[in-house]
Amino acid sequence: MLRFILTLDTSDTMTPNPSLTILESNAAVDASSIDAYRVIDNEIEDLYKQIRERKLDRNNLAPISKIPVELLSHIFSLVQRKCRKNSREDLGWVVVTHVCQRWRNIALDIPALWVYIPFHRHKWIPEMIRRSRSATFKIKLDSRSFTLPRFSTLRAFLALCLPRVRSITVHRPLPPHDFLQALFQDLPARSAQCLEHFNFQVPNDLIIMQLIERILIDPPCLKKFKMYGTVNWGSKILTSLTHFIVHSHGRTWTTQNPHTYSEFLDALARMPTLQILHLHHVPLPVPTEELSSKLLNIVHLSQLQSILLSGSASTVCNILRHISLPEGTRFRLTLDVSMASDVAAIATLFRGPHTWTILARKWPLARSLNLTVENFEAHLTAWSHSSQDMAPDGGLSLPDDEESFLKLSLLWSFRSFTLIQEEFKGQAVLGMCSVIPFRSLTTLSVISEVELAGIDAESLAEAFGRQPGMHSVNLEGPVLKAFLEFLAASAQKENLSKATVNLPSLRYLSICYTRFKKSWLSVQALQDILAQRTQLGMKLKHVHLERCSHLFASDVKIMQENAYKVTWDKFVDDHTTSESSFEEEDGSDSDGEDSSNSTNSSSSENDFFY
């Protein structure tokens, strides 16, 4: 048997590396693992996507998700307005974009939310520009906007985006005048293509107005202009305005060519669509007699909704002489009276038709009147809106200016008169009351610090008249004596059936800060008036007594018999003894209410006023 032995020579072949074999094996395992990870991650992402979609479906079922887009947009704007009102540098309103995806998409789709540029947040400016899309910007500046590097950012923004700026407001704290002037000088000429609102709360001179003119297009699209300081009545800014508000505070500026009254009227004529005209103590030249007599100088402002004029009586009257206004115009007139001729001019103005024009203005009826007489001045204010009831403290609540079509204020300073002329002061006060051509008052408040000669029942009747519709009266101070005589005028004790009483509709009477001292005014006078009115079927609903000296609980109890309700703060002075009638102060009025306790005061029995 033959055996063959085969021997292989392996010296020329590669021997496998055990380590490499292990790496290759691991790489294959790792690749398969990565693929597995990717598969799992993709599955997880798909699951997350499905979860988000289901959550979105779930959120869409919530009632809040069914709010219409238009309503949500309005809510977002209200949130923004509130945040910006609390702090002009607050961006807290952007949290509405973090609530949910729907809210974020809606907010980002409202360009009007992103038009307020926050110059205090540099990183936000490009984002605001992007999110605002093509909407016009609203800019608000103060001294903080002019600090470095904000000023550089502001200049760069305006140089680029001024054609898209619709509103510019410069408010307090005021920026340095030099910086402000430099800003407007650097802006491109006629680049304010969309500027409609300019609120300039900085005391300025004519140079600033010229710089503003420089950036406006011709003709300007500016509609609302508010400024402080000097007015150039020939400026092209005053063209086609709908809102024009000027604060001058009675200050005058010297110019090389002072403006005339004709230029002022010409400026108003260039604004026929004017809706708001507010001139606060704007100094104007007095028109010549020839100018006053020309009918051609009447400016017709047929769209005016509100006019505010404050200043000397002669200035305000001169303005009103030369403009015609629609019936629905709201008046806010503050006239400083310095002499008797001013009162005559005011009376002529309100009683029309004017002797110098054919205009006959129908003034709104005054319903409320407040007269305050102090040592050195008398202030009378009338509103066309009335207060319907007494305030919780027993006094009268003054009407809201916004609800009134007329607010007329007359201020007469007595500082130039001597104390010997007390009678003249009384005549001046009554003269101010008599110039108001309205005899339909419902609410009257008369407050006096001093007792003036010449003010008595007859003079009050001449100034106010019988006033058949007046239902509420507030009296404070020494004027009470004369006014009670006015209330009791023509009331006959012997035959009340023939009596005629002033203020027959009076239902609410408030008396404060006065004294019922017998040597000056007995409380019996008030009790008699209440008793007479009860017998005449005019019983008062509410009588309020506050800080009235020489008044006892027994007096108040008698009043309760002739009024449905009497409130008293139980004020007594050092001249009043600790009367035993205080034991009776728990008496009730005719309605069964505890009237004497219905108004409680913190004053003690030892307090005194006179």
Side-chain angles (χ1 to χ4, degrees):
M1 175 181 287
L2 296 176
R3 293 187 178 184
F4 297 93
I5 300 175
L6 179 63
T7 304
L8 298 177
D9 185 3
T10 59
S11 58
D12 295 333
T13 60
M14 297 292 297
T15 303
N17 190 337
S19 300
L20 182 59
T21 302
I22 295 174
L23 289 176
E24 291 176 351
S25 176
N26 290 341
V29 173
D30 290 341
S32 60
S33 298
I34 291 175
D35 292 338
Y37 288 150
R38 289 175 180 173
V39 171
I40 295 174
D41 289 340
N42 291 336
E43 291 178 354
I44 292 175
E45 184 62 30
D46 291 339
L47 292 174
Y48 276 142
K49 183 178 179 180
Q50 294 178 19
I51 291 174
R52 288 195 298 267
E53 290 177 352
R54 298 306 293 166
K55 283 185 175 180
L56 181 61
D57 295 337
R58 182 174 179 272
N59 290 337
N60 290 336
L61 297 176
I64 195 172
S65 298
K66 298 179 181 180
I67 299 177
V69 174
E70 295 79 9
L71 182 57
L72 271 178
S73 301
H74 182 65
I75 293 174
F76 293 166
S77 64
L78 293 178
V79 173
Q80 183 204 56
R81 186 183 306 174
K82 183 176 181 180
C83 290
R84 298 186 72 256
K85 183 178 180 180
N86 295 337
S87 174
R88 292 186 177 92
E89 294 189 351
D90 185 25
L91 286 174
W93 60 270
V94 298
V95 296
V96 300
T97 65
H98 304 157
V99 175
C100 65
Q101 189 64 42
R102 179 172 182 261
W103 282 28
R104 179 176 179 82
N105 293 337
I106 292 175
L108 294 178
D109 199 38
I110 306 175
L113 290 177
W114 312 98
V115 297
Y116 297 95
I117 305 301
F119 294 103
H120 61 290
R121 303 280 185 89
H122 300 279
K123 296 181 180 180
W124 269 92
I125 295 178
E127 190 64 22
M128 287 288 195
I129 295 175
R130 185 182 67 83
R131 295 183 180 184
S132 63
R133 301 177 187 174
S134 60
T136 54
F137 296 113
K138 297 182 180 180
I139 308 300
K140 289 195 174 183
L141 309 174
D142 57 18
S143 62
R144 290 164 291 189
S145 306
F146 289 79
T147 59
L148 295 176
R150 295 181 183 179
F151 184 54
S152 301
T153 304
L154 172 62
R155 292 173 63 183
F157 171 83
L158 290 179
L160 177 65
C161 300
L162 184 57
R164 288 181 54 190
V165 175
R166 182 187 177 195
S167 173
I168 297 179
T169 299
V170 182
H171 53 76
R172 293 175 174 77
L174 303 178
H177 189 273
D178 294 341
F179 279 79
L180 193 63
Q181 184 173 336
L183 175 64
F184 285 105
Q185 285 177 343
D186 293 340
L187 295 179
R190 295 180 176 82
S191 57
Q193 301 174 8
C194 299
L195 188 60
E196 295 183 3
H197 307 160
F198 201 103
N199 186 349
F200 202 67
Q201 301 182 16
V202 181
N204 67 87
D205 51 26
L206 297 179
I207 297 178
I208 297 295
M209 286 195 69
Q210 293 173 358
L211 295 176
I212 297 173
E213 286 184 27
R214 178 177 170 274
I215 65 173
L216 295 176
I217 60 175
D218 194 10
C221 59
L222 194 66
K223 298 300 180 184
K224 299 181 180 180
F225 185 52
K226 181 178 181 180
M227 60 170 294
Y228 287 67
T230 306
V231 180
N232 177 12
W233 297 108
S235 171
K236 75 172 185 179
I237 294 177
L238 309 183
T239 304
S240 302
L241 292 179
T242 60
H243 295 64
F244 184 40
I245 302 174
V246 184
H247 292 262
S248 290
H249 305 293
R251 293 174 293 180
T252 58
W253 291 264
T254 302
T255 59
Q256 294 180 352
N257 298 313
H259 298 282
T260 64
Y261 201 84
S262 296
E263 290 177 315
F264 164 70
L265 295 179
D266 291 340
L268 292 183
R270 297 197 307 272
M271 298 181 283
T273 59
L274 202 60
Q275 300 175 14
I276 305 295
L277 176 62
H278 291 181
L279 304 179
H280 299 261
H281 296 280
V282 177
L284 292 174
V286 178
T288 62
E289 183 178 351
E290 178 182 0
L291 179 63
S292 297
S293 62
K294 291 182 179 180
L295 297 180
L296 296 178
N297 289 310
I298 302 301
V299 179
H300 300 277
L301 302 177
S302 59
Q303 299 186 33
L304 199 67
Q305 300 174 6
S306 174
I307 181 170
L308 185 152
L309 301 174
S310 61
S312 66
S314 60
T315 298
V316 174
C317 289
N318 284 332
I319 294 175
L320 293 175
R321 287 174 185 175
H322 294 90
I323 57 177
S324 67
L325 310 172
E327 274 192 27
T329 303
R330 293 179 179 270
F331 291 86
R332 303 291 182 271
L333 307 177
T334 302
L335 293 78
D336 296 330
V337 180
S338 58
M339 56 188 69
S341 60
D342 291 338
V343 177
I346 297 171
T348 305
L349 177 69
F350 283 106
R351 289 168 185 169
H354 309 151
T355 57
W356 52 85
T357 72
I358 59 174
L359 296 177
R361 180 174 291 117
K362 185 177 180 181
W363 295 95
L365 295 177
R367 300 296 185 184
S368 300
L369 186 70
N370 181 40
L371 174 63
T372 302
V373 182
E374 301 176 353
N375 284 313
F376 298 105
E377 63 184 20
H379 191 191
L380 182 147
T381 305
W383 295 267
S384 62
H385 183 73
S386 63
S387 298
Q388 298 299 322
D389 207 340
M390 299 183 75
D393 60 357
L396 296 183
S397 56
L398 296 179
D400 187 356
D401 292 351
E402 296 300 324
E403 299 178 357
S404 181
F405 278 93
L406 171 72
K407 180 185 178 183
L408 172 64
S409 297
L410 306 180
L411 178 62
W412 194 328
S413 177
F414 300 135
R415 295 184 183 276
S416 59
F417 301 100
T418 63
L419 295 177
I420 303 175
Q421 295 173 304
E422 292 297 327
E423 186 173 355
F424 172 77
K425 294 181 182 180
Q427 294 175 357
V429 172
L430 296 173
M432 290 172 59
C433 296
S434 63
V435 300
I436 300 180
F438 317 120
R439 299 294 177 180
S440 305
L441 293 176
T442 59
T443 307
L444 175 65
S445 177
V446 183
I447 303 172
S448 64
E449 289 185 356
V450 293
E451 182 180 6
L452 297 180
I455 297 184
D456 51 23
E458 295 182 1
S459 60
L460 288 175
E462 182 178 354
F464 294 110
R466 189 165 177 261
Q467 294 296 342
M470 187 177 297
H471 58 69
S472 302
V473 172
N474 175 62
L475 304 172
E476 298 184 20
V479 73
L480 176 65
K481 181 178 180 181
F483 207 92
L484 288 182
E485 295 174 357
F486 167 64
L487 287 178
S490 303
Q492 305 171 20
K493 293 182 180 180
E494 296 82 5
N495 188 359
L496 289 176
S497 62
K498 298 182 180 180
T500 58
V501 183
N502 292 323
L503 314 187
S505 301
L506 185 64
R507 293 296 179 265
Y508 303 95
L509 178 61
S510 175
I511 299 175
C512 305
Y513 298 97
T514 191
R515 54 182 176 176
F516 288 100
K517 194 173 184 180
K518 291 184 178 180
S519 59
W520 184 76
L521 174 64
S522 174
V523 71
Q524 187 65 41
L526 177 58
Q527 294 173 347
D528 291 343
I529 290 175
L530 296 179
Q532 291 170 3
R533 287 182 173 267
T534 299
Q535 296 180 47
L536 292 170
M538 303 176 183
K539 188 174 182 179
L540 268 63
K541 290 184 177 181
H542 187 185
V543 177
H544 175 71
L545 303 166
E546 183 178 345
R547 286 281 174 167
C548 296
S549 66
H550 301 85
L551 185 65
F552 299 99
S554 57
D555 300 324
V556 176
K557 187 172 183 179
I558 295 175
M559 296 180 195
Q560 292 171 356
E561 299 174 358
N562 294 298
Y564 290 108
K565 182 178 182 180
V566 178
T567 54
W568 176 42
D569 63 351
K570 304 178 185 178
F571 173 83
V572 293
D573 61 8
D574 57 346
H575 299 290
T576 305
T577 59
S578 56
E579 190 184 10
S580 60
S581 59
F582 270 102
E583 299 175 358
E584 306 170 356
E585 64 185 27
D586 59 346
S588 302
D589 59 14
S590 58
D591 288 340
E593 297 179 4
D594 188 1
S595 302
S596 61
N597 289 314
S598 41
T599 299
N600 191 14
S601 174
S602 59
S603 56
S604 66
E605 296 184 4
N606 294 323
D607 292 340
F608 64 92
F609 185 66
Y610 287 92

